[in-house]
Amino acid sequence: MLLRDRLRVPVGEPVDLSSYGTSDIPAGPTDKAAGAEAMTGLAPRLAELQERLYASSTAGDRRRVLLILQGMDTSGKGGTVKHVIGYLNPSGCRVRAFKAPTAEERGHHFLWRIKRSLPGPGEIGIFDRSHYEDVLVARVHELVPRHDLGPRYGQINRFEESLAEDGVTVVKVFLHLSYEEQRARLLARLDNPEKHWKFSSGDIEDRALWPAYQRAYETALERCSTDGAPWYVVPADRKWYRNWAISTLLLEHLEALDPRYPEGDFDVDECRRRLLAT
Amino acid sequence: MLLRDRLRVPVGEPVDLSSYGTSDIPAGPTDKAAGAEAMTGLAPRLAELQERLYASSTAGDRRRVLLILQGMDTSGKGGTVKHVIGYLNPSGCRVRAFKAPTAEERGHHFLWRIKRSLPGPGEIGIFDRSHYEDVLVARVHELVPRHDLGPRYGQINRFEESLAEDGVTVVKVFLHLSYEEQRARLLARLDNPEKHWKFSSGDIEDRALWPAYQRAYETALERCSTDGAPWYVVPADRKWYRNWAISTLLLEHLEALDPRYPEGDFDVDECRRRLLAT
């Protein structure tokens, strides 16, 4: 059974995040050492498939992958980029972290800045946060009136459907972290002066809103896990497991695309002869 | 002596590329195994300095680095991105490959597309080809009249000076490859069907223009090696040496910047107490 089939959020069903474990091991390596070994095995396959995807785009293949990472503070979005995307060739990756919208971005529809950041054909795009913030933080902090929020779920679904029609494989990952593990990670940041830049006292205040965030995630996962772009819930309390699981999800999607090196449009023997004459 | 002092193209002097070796080892490891070992030693230092640069930007530091890679076909621009930039955190890297300008780009000044692709504060930008194409291929293939070409060198110098004033450390690397090594690399591409997508028969025709390209590079290096943004000539016939040399150049520039982790603007003990109460 593929990992994607285990972690996929069923389409059209209510989502109860408390029924998903944050430190479960639904499949794959069962300890850190085995996780590291499995990663070493995955890396060359990921790298080769990425190269094939890119190579294929040079012959007109418009397909590409968009990995969307969402999760509470410290859930490991940045760590995933470092440890998973770090295995790939930076040439074919397009990483974009979305912060609070700028004044210019606020002057546009919430999908405007997203559409400007999409990966091109053959690329793997990685979003650290995404348009889902517009139904998460926007909902919890009541940044928009309810009657404006409601339609956003449908807008997101139609947008992602249009991406699929344009050859974009969207892989949406929710990094599922426990309340206790977040506390431990925030404490670890406080204990290390070299990590202070990642900390803000607002992170503590946001913990009071934890239940509201979980409800907002449940609503987003419930309304926006679709056949064309399902959500995946990755247990995120263990970093090594998170890395393995997301690498595997990425690998499975790339394998399903099965991109091929394009054939050359030249006569190899003739080119070799001409080249040897130079 | 720093490597940058050995590889720097002197400012205001004529450049004769034939006096620069393509397989020289001006400093550093002297064989492939030693090169690989040296890279393993460099990697964590590069990664840490990149993190410091990025962290510093979160406290308002606008400094950043722009690595410009230029060189003939097969000289290893793409390989450098894969093997050198691959050591860095993809979050803080912005890789951009410049191809022949699109119709939209041709409608603008040649620096327009460059300005839109610059790294933000704290980032390391990597250009695989750059605005120098507009005095290289543009010169060799006579894509613009001579009287339009001449002023471009000064425009480039003023542009790069303005970058320096905005906190951008520009590191310009010419990957110096021999005519014979290019032939060997093109033949290797022909011999491997998985590399055919990187080959075009135009690559052979361009070899006839090799001397003209060398002259165009000499002119660019001569006119645009400035105190604020000097050119570096990296011997590129040996891939392991090229990777070590460019990593070292990057490292030396980052070390000179000496970015620091910013201090937090919060009371650590108080935050710890509040956090433990959640």
Side-chain angles (χ1 to χ4, degrees):
Chain A
M1 190 182 191
L2 292 174
L3 188 67
R4 58 194 280 187
D5 294 324
R6 287 184 190 271
L7 302 184
R8 187 187 295 113
V9 175
V11 176
E13 289 177 24
V15 174
D16 173 7
L17 278 177
S18 69
S19 73
Y20 289 83
T22 56
S23 58
D24 284 5
I25 297 181
T30 54
D31 62 38
K32 195 172 174 178
E37 200 186 314
M39 285 296 278
T40 311
L42 289 174
R45 290 161 66 203
L46 263 180
E48 189 192 327
L49 282 161
Q50 181 201 12
E51 185 173 279
R52 284 177 186 263
L53 186 70
Y54 185 80
S56 185
S57 78
T58 65
D61 188 343
R62 286 185 55 77
R63 293 180 302 168
R64 59 207 107 155
V65 173
L66 174 59
L67 176 67
I68 294 179
L69 301 172
Q70 285 286 163
M72 300 296 287
D73 278 338
T74 77
S75 62
K77 302 178 290 293
T80 300
V81 173
K82 188 168 168 178
H83 296 288
V84 177
I85 305 310
Y87 281 115
L88 302 175
N89 185 334
S91 284
C93 293
R94 208 175 144 99
V95 182
R96 172 77 202 267
F98 290 97
K99 317 267 181 198
T102 62
E104 186 190 19
E105 288 168 350
R106 281 198 306 274
H108 292 270
H109 186 260
F110 75 97
L111 292 172
W112 178 76
R113 63 177 184 163
I114 304 297
K115 291 174 181 168
R116 290 160 56 95
S117 307
L118 295 170
E123 292 183 335
I124 296 180
I126 302 95
F127 284 178
D128 174 343
R129 303 186 190 271
S130 66
H131 44 295
Y132 282 95
E133 290 298 321
D134 296 283
V135 292
L136 292 166
V137 64
R139 186 183 190 97
V140 172
H141 285 274
E142 298 178 344
L143 304 179
V144 285
R146 274 288 156 134
H147 61 84
D148 283 341
L149 193 73
R152 287 186 174 180
Y153 298 93
Q155 289 169 15
I156 288 175
N157 287 342
R158 285 187 291 281
F159 167 61
E160 292 179 356
E161 207 177 316
S162 74
L163 292 182
E165 285 162 356
D166 193 22
V168 185
T169 296
V170 183
V171 184
K172 301 186 292 197
V173 173
F174 171 58
L175 300 171
H176 191 25
L177 190 76
S178 69
Y179 187 66
E180 294 69 33
E181 180 64 18
Q182 190 195 53
R183 185 197 296 114
R185 292 187 184 179
L186 287 173
L187 283 170
R189 285 185 182 175
L190 278 178
D191 287 343
N192 182 352
E194 296 194 347
K195 302 279 183 200
H196 282 180
W197 64 280
K198 293 185 176 185
F199 186 89
S200 130
S201 60
D203 297 345
I204 307 177
E205 284 134 37
D206 249 19
R207 277 174 66 75
L209 297 167
W210 185 277
Y213 268 109
Q214 298 293 301
R215 293 302 85 73
Y217 269 110
E218 284 170 346
T219 305
L221 269 55
E222 198 171 299
R223 298 202 193 167
C224 300
S225 197
T226 59
D227 288 320
W231 270 101
Y232 299 96
V233 177
V234 167
D237 280 0
R238 294 181 170 100
K239 293 176 182 175
W240 61 266
Y241 189 76
R242 168 203 80 201
N243 290 340
W244 174 82
I246 298 176
S247 301
T248 301
L249 281 175
L250 198 54
L251 186 65
E252 288 177 356
H253 282 89
L254 285 165
E255 282 176 341
L257 290 176
D258 192 23
R260 307 292 177 99
Y261 287 112
E263 286 183 36
D265 57 352
F266 44 83
D267 181 324
V268 175
D269 290 331
E270 189 220 337
C271 283
R272 191 180 288 116
R273 209 165 43 243
R274 283 171 55 206
L275 199 46
L276 286 169
T278 64
Chain B
M1 191 182 193
L2 291 173
L3 188 67
R4 58 193 281 186
D5 294 323
R6 288 185 189 271
L7 302 185
R8 187 186 297 112
V9 174
V11 176
E13 288 177 26
V15 173
D16 173 8
L17 278 177
S18 68
S19 73
Y20 289 83
T22 56
S23 57
D24 283 6
I25 297 183
T30 53
D31 63 38
K32 195 173 174 177
E37 200 186 315
M39 285 295 277
T40 311
L42 288 175
R45 290 162 65 202
L46 264 179
E48 190 191 330
L49 282 160
Q50 181 201 12
E51 185 172 279
R52 284 176 185 264
L53 186 70
Y54 185 82
S56 186
S57 77
T58 65
D61 188 344
R62 287 184 56 77
R63 294 179 302 167
R64 58 211 110 148
V65 173
L66 175 60
L67 176 67
I68 294 179
L69 301 171
Q70 285 285 165
M72 301 296 287
D73 279 337
T74 77
S75 62
K77 301 179 290 294
T80 299
V81 174
K82 189 168 168 177
H83 296 288
V84 176
I85 305 308
Y87 281 115
L88 302 176
N89 185 335
S91 284
C93 293
R94 211 177 142 100
V95 182
R96 172 77 201 267
F98 291 97
K99 317 267 180 196
T102 61
E104 187 190 17
E105 288 168 351
R106 281 197 307 273
H108 292 269
H109 186 260
F110 76 98
L111 292 173
W112 178 76
R113 62 177 185 163
I114 304 296
K115 291 174 182 170
R116 291 161 54 96
S117 307
L118 294 169
E123 291 184 335
I124 297 180
I126 303 96
F127 283 178
D128 173 345
R129 304 186 188 272
S130 67
H131 43 292
Y132 282 95
E133 290 298 321
D134 297 284
V135 291
L136 293 164
V137 65
R139 186 181 190 97
V140 173
H141 285 274
E142 297 178 346
L143 304 180
V144 285
R146 274 287 155 134
H147 60 84
D148 284 341
L149 193 74
R152 287 187 174 179
Y153 299 93
Q155 289 170 16
I156 287 175
N157 287 343
R158 285 187 291 280
F159 167 62
E160 292 179 356
E161 206 177 319
S162 75
L163 291 183
E165 285 162 356
D166 192 22
V168 185
T169 296
V170 184
V171 184
K172 303 185 292 194
V173 172
F174 171 58
L175 300 171
H176 192 26
L177 190 77
S178 68
Y179 186 67
E180 295 68 31
E181 179 63 19
Q182 189 194 54
R183 186 197 295 114
R185 291 186 184 181
L186 288 173
L187 283 170
R189 286 185 181 175
L190 278 178
D191 288 341
N192 182 353
E194 296 194 346
K195 302 279 185 201
H196 282 179
W197 64 279
K198 294 185 176 184
F199 186 90
S200 130
S201 60
D203 296 345
I204 306 175
E205 284 134 37
D206 249 19
R207 277 174 65 76
L209 298 167
W210 185 277
Y213 268 109
Q214 299 293 302
R215 294 300 85 71
Y217 268 109
E218 284 170 345
T219 306
L221 268 55
E222 197 170 299
R223 298 202 193 167
C224 301
S225 197
T226 59
D227 288 319
W231 271 101
Y232 299 96
V233 177
V234 168
D237 280 0
R238 295 181 169 100
K239 293 176 184 176
W240 61 265
Y241 189 76
R242 168 204 80 202
N243 290 340
W244 174 83
I246 298 175
S247 301
T248 300
L249 281 175
L250 199 52
L251 186 65
E252 288 177 356
H253 282 87
L254 285 166
E255 281 175 341
L257 291 176
D258 192 21
R260 306 292 177 101
Y261 288 112
E263 286 184 37
D265 56 353
F266 45 81
D267 180 325
V268 174
D269 290 330
E270 190 221 335
C271 283
R272 193 180 286 119
R273 209 167 41 242
R274 282 172 56 206
L275 197 46
L276 285 168
T278 64

